[in-house]
Amino acid sequence: MHPHCEVCGQPTDIEVGFYYGTGYVSYALSIAFLATTFVLWFFTIGFGLHDNRLFWWLGTGTVLLIVLQPVFMRLARSLWISFFVGYDEDWQSKKAADAERVVKEHMTNW
C-alpha cells in the first residue's frame, strides 16, 4: 500500500497496527458475499436433501472467495480508513494532516 494517497496526499499509515481491524471488515464482507450467493443459488438452482447441490454451492462459494480475496482485502482497507478519516470537501486546496502517532522506528516491526 502506498504511504500516501496519490490523489489527495492523505497518509495511509496512520499508526502501527492500524489495519489489524480490517480482518473484521473482511470477514463481514465474506459472510455477506456467501449469504448473497446462498440466496441466489437457492432461488435459481435450489437445494435438495438427496442430491449434491448444497456441496456444489459450498465448493463454488469457496473458490469464489479465494479468487475474490484480494478485492475484499482492498475494499476492507478502504472501508476501515474511511471509518477514521473524514472527508474534506476542500481537499484540493488544503494539505492533508500528517499522522499524529506514527513512530518511524516502529514502521518495519512486523
Side-chain angles (χ1 to χ4, degrees):
M1 197 163 179
H2 297 289
H4 296 284
C5 175
E6 295 176 349
V7 177
C8 68
Q10 169 68 40
T12 56
D13 247 351
I14 295 178
E15 63 182 83
V16 175
F18 175 72
Y19 289 105
Y20 285 153
T22 60
Y24 298 109
V25 178
S26 180
Y27 177 73
L29 290 172
S30 299
I31 294 300
F33 175 76
L34 283 177
T36 303
T37 59
F38 181 83
V39 169
L40 289 173
W41 192 283
F42 179 76
F43 285 117
T44 57
I45 297 172
F47 292 107
L49 297 175
H50 304 292
D51 58 5
N52 292 330
R53 287 184 276 183
L54 176 66
F55 296 109
W56 277 101
W57 169 74
L58 284 173
T60 304
T62 302
V63 168
L64 286 174
L65 276 178
I66 291 170
V67 168
L68 292 174
Q69 189 56 40
V71 174
F72 288 147
M73 180 190 68
R74 286 184 173 89
L75 183 59
R77 282 181 157 232
S78 298
L79 288 172
W80 187 254
I81 198 168
S82 71
F83 293 152
F84 297 99
V85 177
Y87 177 72
D88 184 13
E89 293 178 3
D90 208 18
W91 64 270
Q92 291 176 335
S93 62
K94 291 183 188 175
K95 181 186 177 294
D98 289 333
E100 295 176 7
R101 297 189 286 183
V102 171
V103 179
K104 298 292 181 194
E105 294 82 27
H106 294 215
M107 293 303 285
T108 58
N109 289 344
W110 304 107

PDB file of all heavy atoms in Angstrom, residues 67-102:
ATOM      1  N   VAL A  67     -10.725 -16.523  -4.956  1.00  0.00           N
ATOM      2  CA  VAL A  67     -10.400 -15.672  -6.105  1.00  0.00           C
ATOM      3  C   VAL A  67     -10.632 -14.198  -5.782  1.00  0.00           C
ATOM      4  O   VAL A  67      -9.843 -13.328  -6.185  1.00  0.00           O
ATOM      5  CB  VAL A  67     -11.231 -16.108  -7.339  1.00  0.00           C
ATOM      6  CG1 VAL A  67     -11.136 -15.092  -8.454  1.00  0.00           C
ATOM      7  CG2 VAL A  67     -10.784 -17.475  -7.812  1.00  0.00           C
ATOM      8  N   LEU A  68     -11.694 -13.900  -5.041  1.00  0.00           N
ATOM      9  CA  LEU A  68     -12.046 -12.505  -4.747  1.00  0.00           C
ATOM     10  C   LEU A  68     -11.397 -11.961  -3.474  1.00  0.00           C
ATOM     11  O   LEU A  68     -11.656 -10.815  -3.103  1.00  0.00           O
ATOM     12  CB  LEU A  68     -13.566 -12.365  -4.640  1.00  0.00           C
ATOM     13  CG  LEU A  68     -14.336 -12.569  -5.938  1.00  0.00           C
ATOM     14  CD1 LEU A  68     -15.828 -12.546  -5.671  1.00  0.00           C
ATOM     15  CD2 LEU A  68     -13.957 -11.510  -6.948  1.00  0.00           C
ATOM     16  N   GLN A  69     -10.552 -12.738  -2.811  1.00  0.00           N
ATOM     17  CA  GLN A  69      -9.942 -12.275  -1.568  1.00  0.00           C
ATOM     18  C   GLN A  69      -9.131 -10.995  -1.732  1.00  0.00           C
ATOM     19  O   GLN A  69      -9.201 -10.106  -0.880  1.00  0.00           O
ATOM     20  CB  GLN A  69      -9.101 -13.383  -0.941  1.00  0.00           C
ATOM     21  CG  GLN A  69      -8.625 -13.055   0.445  1.00  0.00           C
ATOM     22  CD  GLN A  69      -9.762 -12.720   1.386  1.00  0.00           C
ATOM     23  OE1 GLN A  69     -10.809 -13.330   1.362  1.00  0.00           O
ATOM     24  NE2 GLN A  69      -9.557 -11.714   2.221  1.00  0.00           N
ATOM     25  N   PRO A  70      -8.342 -10.825  -2.804  1.00  0.00           N
ATOM     26  CA  PRO A  70      -7.643  -9.536  -2.960  1.00  0.00           C
ATOM     27  C   PRO A  70      -8.607  -8.350  -3.067  1.00  0.00           C
ATOM     28  O   PRO A  70      -8.331  -7.270  -2.555  1.00  0.00           O
ATOM     29  CB  PRO A  70      -6.844  -9.710  -4.250  1.00  0.00           C
ATOM     30  CG  PRO A  70      -6.659 -11.173  -4.378  1.00  0.00           C
ATOM     31  CD  PRO A  70      -7.887 -11.798  -3.805  1.00  0.00           C
ATOM     32  N   VAL A  71      -9.742  -8.542  -3.708  1.00  0.00           N
ATOM     33  CA  VAL A  71     -10.737  -7.472  -3.822  1.00  0.00           C
ATOM     34  C   VAL A  71     -11.315  -7.160  -2.444  1.00  0.00           C
ATOM     35  O   VAL A  71     -11.439  -5.991  -2.060  1.00  0.00           O
ATOM     36  CB  VAL A  71     -11.851  -7.876  -4.809  1.00  0.00           C
ATOM     37  CG1 VAL A  71     -12.955  -6.843  -4.823  1.00  0.00           C
ATOM     38  CG2 VAL A  71     -11.282  -8.091  -6.188  1.00  0.00           C
ATOM     39  N   PHE A  72     -11.673  -8.203  -1.693  1.00  0.00           N
ATOM     40  CA  PHE A  72     -12.215  -7.999  -0.348  1.00  0.00           C
ATOM     41  C   PHE A  72     -11.195  -7.335   0.578  1.00  0.00           C
ATOM     42  O   PHE A  72     -11.547  -6.507   1.409  1.00  0.00           O
ATOM     43  CB  PHE A  72     -12.684  -9.317   0.264  1.00  0.00           C
ATOM     44  CG  PHE A  72     -13.943  -9.860  -0.344  1.00  0.00           C
ATOM     45  CD1 PHE A  72     -14.146 -11.215  -0.456  1.00  0.00           C
ATOM     46  CD2 PHE A  72     -14.936  -9.014  -0.812  1.00  0.00           C
ATOM     47  CE1 PHE A  72     -15.303 -11.722  -1.010  1.00  0.00           C
ATOM     48  CE2 PHE A  72     -16.098  -9.510  -1.367  1.00  0.00           C
ATOM     49  CZ  PHE A  72     -16.281 -10.866  -1.466  1.00  0.00           C
ATOM     50  N   MET A  73      -9.923  -7.703   0.434  1.00  0.00           N
ATOM     51  CA  MET A  73      -8.878  -7.112   1.281  1.00  0.00           C
ATOM     52  C   MET A  73      -8.745  -5.614   1.008  1.00  0.00           C
ATOM     53  O   MET A  73      -8.710  -4.806   1.933  1.00  0.00           O
ATOM     54  CB  MET A  73      -7.549  -7.805   1.037  1.00  0.00           C
ATOM     55  CG  MET A  73      -6.415  -7.269   1.875  1.00  0.00           C
ATOM     56  SD  MET A  73      -4.812  -7.885   1.386  1.00  0.00           S
ATOM     57  CE  MET A  73      -4.609  -7.104  -0.195  1.00  0.00           C
ATOM     58  N   ARG A  74      -8.699  -5.236  -0.248  1.00  0.00           N
ATOM     59  CA  ARG A  74      -8.567  -3.811  -0.587  1.00  0.00           C
ATOM     60  C   ARG A  74      -9.812  -3.027  -0.199  1.00  0.00           C
ATOM     61  O   ARG A  74      -9.723  -1.899   0.285  1.00  0.00           O
ATOM     62  CB  ARG A  74      -8.272  -3.662  -2.073  1.00  0.00           C
ATOM     63  CG  ARG A  74      -6.861  -4.058  -2.403  1.00  0.00           C
ATOM     64  CD  ARG A  74      -6.548  -3.825  -3.869  1.00  0.00           C
ATOM     65  NE  ARG A  74      -5.147  -4.043  -4.134  1.00  0.00           N
ATOM     66  CZ  ARG A  74      -4.627  -5.216  -4.472  1.00  0.00           C
ATOM     67  NH1 ARG A  74      -5.399  -6.268  -4.586  1.00  0.00           N
ATOM     68  NH2 ARG A  74      -3.338  -5.333  -4.695  1.00  0.00           N
ATOM     69  N   LEU A  75     -10.977  -3.621  -0.407  1.00  0.00           N
ATOM     70  CA  LEU A  75     -12.218  -2.967  -0.018  1.00  0.00           C
ATOM     71  C   LEU A  75     -12.296  -2.809   1.500  1.00  0.00           C
ATOM     72  O   LEU A  75     -12.720  -1.761   2.002  1.00  0.00           O
ATOM     73  CB  LEU A  75     -13.413  -3.761  -0.544  1.00  0.00           C
ATOM     74  CG  LEU A  75     -14.785  -3.170  -0.281  1.00  0.00           C
ATOM     75  CD1 LEU A  75     -14.905  -1.791  -0.906  1.00  0.00           C
ATOM     76  CD2 LEU A  75     -15.856  -4.098  -0.825  1.00  0.00           C
ATOM     77  N   ALA A  76     -11.851  -3.823   2.238  1.00  0.00           N
ATOM     78  CA  ALA A  76     -11.859  -3.740   3.696  1.00  0.00           C
ATOM     79  C   ALA A  76     -10.920  -2.643   4.194  1.00  0.00           C
ATOM     80  O   ALA A  76     -11.257  -1.897   5.115  1.00  0.00           O
ATOM     81  CB  ALA A  76     -11.467  -5.090   4.306  1.00  0.00           C
ATOM     82  N   ARG A  77      -9.756  -2.523   3.574  1.00  0.00           N
ATOM     83  CA  ARG A  77      -8.821  -1.462   3.969  1.00  0.00           C
ATOM     84  C   ARG A  77      -9.396  -0.080   3.668  1.00  0.00           C
ATOM     85  O   ARG A  77      -9.255   0.845   4.453  1.00  0.00           O
ATOM     86  CB  ARG A  77      -7.478  -1.625   3.259  1.00  0.00           C
ATOM     87  CG  ARG A  77      -6.634  -2.700   3.873  1.00  0.00           C
ATOM     88  CD  ARG A  77      -5.304  -2.819   3.166  1.00  0.00           C
ATOM     89  NE  ARG A  77      -4.373  -3.427   4.076  1.00  0.00           N
ATOM     90  CZ  ARG A  77      -3.188  -2.930   4.371  1.00  0.00           C
ATOM     91  NH1 ARG A  77      -2.778  -1.817   3.808  1.00  0.00           N
ATOM     92  NH2 ARG A  77      -2.412  -3.536   5.222  1.00  0.00           N
ATOM     93  N   SER A  78     -10.044   0.045   2.521  1.00  0.00           N
ATOM     94  CA  SER A  78     -10.647   1.332   2.162  1.00  0.00           C
ATOM     95  C   SER A  78     -11.787   1.692   3.108  1.00  0.00           C
ATOM     96  O   SER A  78     -11.917   2.839   3.537  1.00  0.00           O
ATOM     97  CB  SER A  78     -11.171   1.284   0.726  1.00  0.00           C
ATOM     98  OG  SER A  78     -10.125   1.067  -0.162  1.00  0.00           O
ATOM     99  N   LEU A  79     -12.616   0.727   3.440  1.00  0.00           N
ATOM    100  CA  LEU A  79     -13.705   0.978   4.386  1.00  0.00           C
ATOM    101  C   LEU A  79     -13.167   1.316   5.771  1.00  0.00           C
ATOM    102  O   LEU A  79     -13.679   2.205   6.447  1.00  0.00           O
ATOM    103  CB  LEU A  79     -14.639  -0.233   4.463  1.00  0.00           C
ATOM    104  CG  LEU A  79     -15.527  -0.469   3.250  1.00  0.00           C
ATOM    105  CD1 LEU A  79     -16.238  -1.807   3.377  1.00  0.00           C
ATOM    106  CD2 LEU A  79     -16.522   0.646   3.109  1.00  0.00           C
ATOM    107  N   TRP A  80     -12.129   0.593   6.198  1.00  0.00           N
ATOM    108  CA  TRP A  80     -11.569   0.807   7.532  1.00  0.00           C
ATOM    109  C   TRP A  80     -11.003   2.224   7.674  1.00  0.00           C
ATOM    110  O   TRP A  80     -11.247   2.898   8.670  1.00  0.00           O
ATOM    111  CB  TRP A  80     -10.488  -0.225   7.813  1.00  0.00           C
ATOM    112  CG  TRP A  80      -9.981  -0.204   9.203  1.00  0.00           C
ATOM    113  CD1 TRP A  80      -8.775   0.272   9.628  1.00  0.00           C
ATOM    114  CD2 TRP A  80     -10.650  -0.683  10.376  1.00  0.00           C
ATOM    115  NE1 TRP A  80      -8.646   0.121  10.979  1.00  0.00           N
ATOM    116  CE2 TRP A  80      -9.785  -0.461  11.463  1.00  0.00           C
ATOM    117  CE3 TRP A  80     -11.882  -1.262  10.607  1.00  0.00           C
ATOM    118  CZ2 TRP A  80     -10.128  -0.811  12.756  1.00  0.00           C
ATOM    119  CZ3 TRP A  80     -12.222  -1.615  11.889  1.00  0.00           C
ATOM    120  CH2 TRP A  80     -11.348  -1.386  12.948  1.00  0.00           C
ATOM    121  N   ILE A  81     -10.244   2.683   6.691  1.00  0.00           N
ATOM    122  CA  ILE A  81      -9.675   4.031   6.793  1.00  0.00           C
ATOM    123  C   ILE A  81     -10.769   5.086   6.667  1.00  0.00           C
ATOM    124  O   ILE A  81     -10.684   6.154   7.268  1.00  0.00           O
ATOM    125  CB  ILE A  81      -8.532   4.258   5.777  1.00  0.00           C
ATOM    126  CG1 ILE A  81      -7.688   5.469   6.200  1.00  0.00           C
ATOM    127  CG2 ILE A  81      -9.046   4.413   4.378  1.00  0.00           C
ATOM    128  CD1 ILE A  81      -6.394   5.620   5.451  1.00  0.00           C
ATOM    129  N   SER A  82     -11.847   4.770   5.935  1.00  0.00           N
ATOM    130  CA  SER A  82     -12.928   5.749   5.821  1.00  0.00           C
ATOM    131  C   SER A  82     -13.718   5.884   7.120  1.00  0.00           C
ATOM    132  O   SER A  82     -14.388   6.886   7.331  1.00  0.00           O
ATOM    133  CB  SER A  82     -13.868   5.380   4.671  1.00  0.00           C
ATOM    134  OG  SER A  82     -14.632   4.250   4.995  1.00  0.00           O
ATOM    135  N   PHE A  83     -13.647   4.875   8.003  1.00  0.00           N
ATOM    136  CA  PHE A  83     -14.287   4.981   9.320  1.00  0.00           C
ATOM    137  C   PHE A  83     -13.587   6.024  10.188  1.00  0.00           C
ATOM    138  O   PHE A  83     -14.208   6.662  11.024  1.00  0.00           O
ATOM    139  CB  PHE A  83     -14.263   3.646  10.069  1.00  0.00           C
ATOM    140  CG  PHE A  83     -15.102   2.564   9.465  1.00  0.00           C
ATOM    141  CD1 PHE A  83     -14.765   1.244   9.644  1.00  0.00           C
ATOM    142  CD2 PHE A  83     -16.234   2.852   8.718  1.00  0.00           C
ATOM    143  CE1 PHE A  83     -15.526   0.227   9.108  1.00  0.00           C
ATOM    144  CE2 PHE A  83     -17.006   1.850   8.168  1.00  0.00           C
ATOM    145  CZ  PHE A  83     -16.648   0.527   8.364  1.00  0.00           C
ATOM    146  N   PHE A  84     -12.289   6.197   9.994  1.00  0.00           N
ATOM    147  CA  PHE A  84     -11.492   7.018  10.902  1.00  0.00           C
ATOM    148  C   PHE A  84     -11.015   8.333  10.307  1.00  0.00           C
ATOM    149  O   PHE A  84     -10.603   9.226  11.042  1.00  0.00           O
ATOM    150  CB  PHE A  84     -10.280   6.221  11.397  1.00  0.00           C
ATOM    151  CG  PHE A  84     -10.664   5.019  12.189  1.00  0.00           C
ATOM    152  CD1 PHE A  84     -10.691   3.768  11.623  1.00  0.00           C
ATOM    153  CD2 PHE A  84     -11.045   5.146  13.514  1.00  0.00           C
ATOM    154  CE1 PHE A  84     -11.059   2.662  12.349  1.00  0.00           C
ATOM    155  CE2 PHE A  84     -11.423   4.059  14.249  1.00  0.00           C
ATOM    156  CZ  PHE A  84     -11.432   2.807  13.667  1.00  0.00           C
ATOM    157  N   VAL A  85     -11.013   8.453   8.998  1.00  0.00           N
ATOM    158  CA  VAL A  85     -10.562   9.681   8.347  1.00  0.00           C
ATOM    159  C   VAL A  85     -11.766  10.288   7.636  1.00  0.00           C
ATOM    160  O   VAL A  85     -12.335   9.687   6.727  1.00  0.00           O
ATOM    161  CB  VAL A  85      -9.428   9.405   7.330  1.00  0.00           C
ATOM    162  CG1 VAL A  85      -9.043  10.688   6.625  1.00  0.00           C
ATOM    163  CG2 VAL A  85      -8.234   8.800   8.032  1.00  0.00           C
ATOM    164  N   GLY A  86     -12.148  11.470   8.056  1.00  0.00           N
ATOM    165  CA  GLY A  86     -13.309  12.133   7.467  1.00  0.00           C
ATOM    166  C   GLY A  86     -12.995  12.735   6.110  1.00  0.00           C
ATOM    167  O   GLY A  86     -11.845  13.032   5.787  1.00  0.00           O
ATOM    168  N   TYR A  87     -14.036  12.915   5.346  1.00  0.00           N
ATOM    169  CA  TYR A  87     -13.897  13.510   4.022  1.00  0.00           C
ATOM    170  C   TYR A  87     -13.847  15.029   4.151  1.00  0.00           C
ATOM    171  O   TYR A  87     -14.669  15.635   4.822  1.00  0.00           O
ATOM    172  CB  TYR A  87     -15.074  13.102   3.124  1.00  0.00           C
ATOM    173  CG  TYR A  87     -15.032  13.738   1.765  1.00  0.00           C
ATOM    174  CD1 TYR A  87     -14.101  13.335   0.826  1.00  0.00           C
ATOM    175  CD2 TYR A  87     -15.917  14.751   1.421  1.00  0.00           C
ATOM    176  CE1 TYR A  87     -14.050  13.916  -0.431  1.00  0.00           C
ATOM    177  CE2 TYR A  87     -15.889  15.327   0.170  1.00  0.00           C
ATOM    178  CZ  TYR A  87     -14.949  14.912  -0.743  1.00  0.00           C
ATOM    179  OH  TYR A  87     -14.903  15.492  -1.985  1.00  0.00           O
ATOM    180  N   ASP A  88     -12.874  15.627   3.497  1.00  0.00           N
ATOM    181  CA  ASP A  88     -12.734  17.075   3.488  1.00  0.00           C
ATOM    182  C   ASP A  88     -13.137  17.577   2.106  1.00  0.00           C
ATOM    183  O   ASP A  88     -12.512  17.231   1.103  1.00  0.00           O
ATOM    184  CB  ASP A  88     -11.292  17.471   3.800  1.00  0.00           C
ATOM    185  CG  ASP A  88     -11.113  18.969   3.907  1.00  0.00           C
ATOM    186  OD1 ASP A  88     -12.131  19.687   3.985  1.00  0.00           O
ATOM    187  OD2 ASP A  88      -9.952  19.408   3.928  1.00  0.00           O
ATOM    188  N   GLU A  89     -14.187  18.384   2.050  1.00  0.00           N
ATOM    189  CA  GLU A  89     -14.668  18.884   0.764  1.00  0.00           C
ATOM    190  C   GLU A  89     -13.659  19.810   0.086  1.00  0.00           C
ATOM    191  O   GLU A  89     -13.688  19.984  -1.127  1.00  0.00           O
ATOM    192  CB  GLU A  89     -15.992  19.616   0.959  1.00  0.00           C
ATOM    193  CG  GLU A  89     -17.120  18.716   1.385  1.00  0.00           C
ATOM    194  CD  GLU A  89     -18.404  19.476   1.610  1.00  0.00           C
ATOM    195  OE1 GLU A  89     -18.440  20.703   1.385  1.00  0.00           O
ATOM    196  OE2 GLU A  89     -19.382  18.838   2.016  1.00  0.00           O
ATOM    197  N   ASP A  90     -12.775  20.372   0.863  1.00  0.00           N
ATOM    198  CA  ASP A  90     -11.796  21.319   0.343  1.00  0.00           C
ATOM    199  C   ASP A  90     -10.414  20.682   0.259  1.00  0.00           C
ATOM    200  O   ASP A  90      -9.402  21.337   0.479  1.00  0.00           O
ATOM    201  CB  ASP A  90     -11.775  22.554   1.256  1.00  0.00           C
ATOM    202  CG  ASP A  90     -11.364  23.798   0.516  1.00  0.00           C
ATOM    203  OD1 ASP A  90     -11.418  23.799  -0.724  1.00  0.00           O
ATOM    204  OD2 ASP A  90     -10.988  24.769   1.193  1.00  0.00           O
ATOM    205  N   TRP A  91     -10.340  19.403  -0.080  1.00  0.00           N
ATOM    206  CA  TRP A  91      -9.084  18.667  -0.053  1.00  0.00           C
ATOM    207  C   TRP A  91      -8.100  19.126  -1.121  1.00  0.00           C
ATOM    208  O   TRP A  91      -6.896  18.939  -0.972  1.00  0.00           O
ATOM    209  CB  TRP A  91      -9.325  17.170  -0.187  1.00  0.00           C
ATOM    210  CG  TRP A  91      -9.923  16.755  -1.497  1.00  0.00           C
ATOM    211  CD1 TRP A  91     -11.243  16.649  -1.787  1.00  0.00           C
ATOM    212  CD2 TRP A  91      -9.220  16.385  -2.681  1.00  0.00           C
ATOM    213  NE1 TRP A  91     -11.413  16.237  -3.079  1.00  0.00           N
ATOM    214  CE2 TRP A  91     -10.195  16.070  -3.658  1.00  0.00           C
ATOM    215  CE3 TRP A  91      -7.882  16.292  -3.025  1.00  0.00           C
ATOM    216  CZ2 TRP A  91      -9.854  15.668  -4.938  1.00  0.00           C
ATOM    217  CZ3 TRP A  91      -7.557  15.887  -4.304  1.00  0.00           C
ATOM    218  CH2 TRP A  91      -8.522  15.573  -5.246  1.00  0.00           C
ATOM    219  N   GLN A  92      -8.589  19.736  -2.199  1.00  0.00           N
ATOM    220  CA  GLN A  92      -7.680  20.152  -3.259  1.00  0.00           C
ATOM    221  C   GLN A  92      -6.843  21.369  -2.874  1.00  0.00           C
ATOM    222  O   GLN A  92      -5.734  21.534  -3.345  1.00  0.00           O
ATOM    223  CB  GLN A  92      -8.457  20.435  -4.533  1.00  0.00           C
ATOM    224  CG  GLN A  92      -9.028  19.173  -5.140  1.00  0.00           C
ATOM    225  CD  GLN A  92      -9.874  19.451  -6.356  1.00  0.00           C
ATOM    226  OE1 GLN A  92     -10.423  20.542  -6.500  1.00  0.00           O
ATOM    227  NE2 GLN A  92      -9.991  18.474  -7.233  1.00  0.00           N
ATOM    228  N   SER A  93      -7.367  22.217  -2.001  1.00  0.00           N
ATOM    229  CA  SER A  93      -6.614  23.411  -1.624  1.00  0.00           C
ATOM    230  C   SER A  93      -5.890  23.248  -0.294  1.00  0.00           C
ATOM    231  O   SER A  93      -4.997  24.021   0.009  1.00  0.00           O
ATOM    232  CB  SER A  93      -7.553  24.613  -1.545  1.00  0.00           C
ATOM    233  OG  SER A  93      -8.531  24.417  -0.552  1.00  0.00           O
ATOM    234  N   LYS A  94      -6.254  22.244   0.512  1.00  0.00           N
ATOM    235  CA  LYS A  94      -5.594  22.015   1.801  1.00  0.00           C
ATOM    236  C   LYS A  94      -4.707  20.786   1.723  1.00  0.00           C
ATOM    237  O   LYS A  94      -5.035  19.802   1.073  1.00  0.00           O
ATOM    238  CB  LYS A  94      -6.639  21.757   2.893  1.00  0.00           C
ATOM    239  CG  LYS A  94      -7.480  22.929   3.260  1.00  0.00           C
ATOM    240  CD  LYS A  94      -8.396  22.511   4.396  1.00  0.00           C
ATOM    241  CE  LYS A  94      -9.413  23.561   4.716  1.00  0.00           C
ATOM    242  NZ  LYS A  94     -10.359  23.089   5.742  1.00  0.00           N
ATOM    243  N   LYS A  95      -3.599  20.854   2.431  1.00  0.00           N
ATOM    244  CA  LYS A  95      -2.722  19.696   2.539  1.00  0.00           C
ATOM    245  C   LYS A  95      -3.287  18.775   3.617  1.00  0.00           C
ATOM    246  O   LYS A  95      -3.768  19.233   4.647  1.00  0.00           O
ATOM    247  CB  LYS A  95      -1.314  20.145   2.909  1.00  0.00           C
ATOM    248  CG  LYS A  95      -0.328  19.002   3.032  1.00  0.00           C
ATOM    249  CD  LYS A  95       0.998  19.519   3.531  1.00  0.00           C
ATOM    250  CE  LYS A  95       1.993  18.404   3.732  1.00  0.00           C
ATOM    251  NZ  LYS A  95       1.654  17.490   4.782  1.00  0.00           N
ATOM    252  N   ALA A  96      -3.224  17.486   3.383  1.00  0.00           N
ATOM    253  CA  ALA A  96      -3.714  16.519   4.370  1.00  0.00           C
ATOM    254  C   ALA A  96      -2.839  16.565   5.610  1.00  0.00           C
ATOM    255  O   ALA A  96      -1.615  16.756   5.535  1.00  0.00           O
ATOM    256  CB  ALA A  96      -3.712  15.119   3.779  1.00  0.00           C
ATOM    257  N   ALA A  97      -3.473  16.403   6.757  1.00  0.00           N
ATOM    258  CA  ALA A  97      -2.733  16.420   8.022  1.00  0.00           C
ATOM    259  C   ALA A  97      -1.876  15.173   8.139  1.00  0.00           C
ATOM    260  O   ALA A  97      -2.272  14.080   7.736  1.00  0.00           O
ATOM    261  CB  ALA A  97      -3.705  16.497   9.188  1.00  0.00           C
ATOM    262  N   ASP A  98      -0.675  15.340   8.690  1.00  0.00           N
ATOM    263  CA  ASP A  98       0.195  14.195   8.917  1.00  0.00           C
ATOM    264  C   ASP A  98      -0.364  13.344  10.042  1.00  0.00           C
ATOM    265  O   ASP A  98      -1.063  13.825  10.937  1.00  0.00           O
ATOM    266  CB  ASP A  98       1.616  14.659   9.279  1.00  0.00           C
ATOM    267  CG  ASP A  98       2.331  15.251   8.082  1.00  0.00           C
ATOM    268  OD1 ASP A  98       1.997  14.859   6.939  1.00  0.00           O
ATOM    269  OD2 ASP A  98       3.204  16.107   8.281  1.00  0.00           O
ATOM    270  N   ALA A  99      -0.032  12.071   9.991  1.00  0.00           N
ATOM    271  CA  ALA A  99      -0.481  11.168  11.047  1.00  0.00           C
ATOM    272  C   ALA A  99       0.183  11.548  12.362  1.00  0.00           C
ATOM    273  O   ALA A  99       1.375  11.853  12.405  1.00  0.00           O
ATOM    274  CB  ALA A  99      -0.135   9.738  10.670  1.00  0.00           C
ATOM    275  N   GLU A 100      -0.581  11.535  13.440  1.00  0.00           N
ATOM    276  CA  GLU A 100      -0.072  12.016  14.716  1.00  0.00           C
ATOM    277  C   GLU A 100       0.771  10.987  15.448  1.00  0.00           C
ATOM    278  O   GLU A 100       1.738  11.321  16.103  1.00  0.00           O
ATOM    279  CB  GLU A 100      -1.246  12.424  15.613  1.00  0.00           C
ATOM    280  CG  GLU A 100      -2.033  13.588  15.078  1.00  0.00           C
ATOM    281  CD  GLU A 100      -3.239  13.899  15.943  1.00  0.00           C
ATOM    282  OE1 GLU A 100      -3.383  13.293  17.022  1.00  0.00           O
ATOM    283  OE2 GLU A 100      -4.042  14.735  15.532  1.00  0.00           O
ATOM    284  N   ARG A 101       0.397   9.729  15.359  1.00  0.00           N
ATOM    285  CA  ARG A 101       1.034   8.737  16.210  1.00  0.00           C
ATOM    286  C   ARG A 101       1.935   7.777  15.456  1.00  0.00           C
ATOM    287  O   ARG A 101       2.130   6.654  15.865  1.00  0.00           O
ATOM    288  CB  ARG A 101      -0.036   7.950  16.957  1.00  0.00           C
ATOM    289  CG  ARG A 101      -0.834   8.839  17.878  1.00  0.00           C
ATOM    290  CD  ARG A 101      -1.724   8.058  18.753  1.00  0.00           C
ATOM    291  NE  ARG A 101      -2.860   7.555  18.002  1.00  0.00           N
ATOM    292  CZ  ARG A 101      -3.851   6.881  18.538  1.00  0.00           C
ATOM    293  NH1 ARG A 101      -3.851   6.617  19.818  1.00  0.00           N
ATOM    294  NH2 ARG A 101      -4.851   6.459  17.807  1.00  0.00           N
ATOM    295  N   VAL A 102       2.501   8.212  14.362  1.00  0.00           N
ATOM    296  CA  VAL A 102       3.411   7.355  13.612  1.00  0.00           C
ATOM    297  C   VAL A 102       4.808   7.491  14.206  1.00  0.00           C
ATOM    298  O   VAL A 102       5.340   8.585  14.345  1.00  0.00           O
ATOM    299  CB  VAL A 102       3.432   7.736  12.117  1.00  0.00           C
ATOM    300  CG1 VAL A 102       4.528   6.997  11.388  1.00  0.00           C
ATOM    301  CG2 VAL A 102       2.094   7.427  11.495  1.00  0.00           C
TER     302      VAL A 102
END
